[in-house]
Amino acid sequence: MSADGATADDSTPRFHPSRTWAQRVDRRRRSVVVRVEGELDAAVYPEFRATLDNAIDSGAPAVVIDLRAARFVSLRAAASLGAARQRAACNGVDLRIVAGRRDIERAFELTGVRPMFGNYPSMRAALDA
């Protein structure tokens, strides 16, 4: 099962030239992976949130947010993932994050949501958990 989310918005290419949202199911582990490329900020968060909501509602027991290709995550977006974590848990879904970069991890630490998520240093670790 595969679904593509939003692609680059031609109206603002100088701000988000390469953002891509994708969602796929890892059939072997029954996980949905939501991949973020580019910047996750207020301009694109609604599109990301719609993709994340679809993943949470997919029936998979785990959703992994792959931020390894993200160049930036705003503090507001990081804080909002705390609420998404709570919503997922209410639906019986384990929401996991793979940040990949120290500056992205820092956004989660500054907003206080880092303790809400397990520490997954790689996609394999997040999928195998």
Side-chain angles (χ1 to χ4, degrees):
M1 176 174 153
S2 170
D4 289 330
T7 58
D9 179 348
D10 293 334
S11 65
T12 58
R14 68 178 178 263
F15 299 112
H16 305 285
S18 65
R19 78 173 188 262
T20 303
W21 313 106
Q23 177 179 321
R24 74 175 191 271
V25 173
D26 181 323
R27 292 190 194 285
R28 211 168 24 137
R29 297 175 185 93
R30 296 181 18 94
S31 301
V32 176
V33 176
V34 177
R35 182 176 167 87
V36 177
E37 297 177 0
E39 300 170 352
L40 180 55
D41 59 15
V44 298
Y45 189 80
E47 297 170 50
F48 167 75
R49 184 58 192 252
T51 301
L52 182 58
D53 286 345
N54 287 337
I56 290 170
D57 294 336
S58 71
V63 173
V64 180
I65 302 171
D66 180 3
L67 297 171
R68 294 173 302 157
R71 292 187 311 267
F72 173 78
V73 173
S74 72
L75 294 178
R76 179 174 282 171
S80 296
L81 287 176
R85 171 81 166 106
Q86 291 174 337
R87 179 182 175 279
C90 288
N91 289 345
V93 176
D94 185 13
L95 186 61
R96 305 169 186 166
I97 294 176
V98 178
R101 292 178 38 168
R102 181 69 190 128
D103 54 336
I104 300 220
E105 280 285 345
R106 184 74 174 139
F108 295 114
E109 291 168 5
L110 289 172
T111 58
V113 299
R114 189 67 195 105
M116 297 175 75
F117 296 93
N119 187 12
Y120 302 103
S122 68
M123 280 300 292
R124 171 165 277 170
L127 292 170
D128 287 344

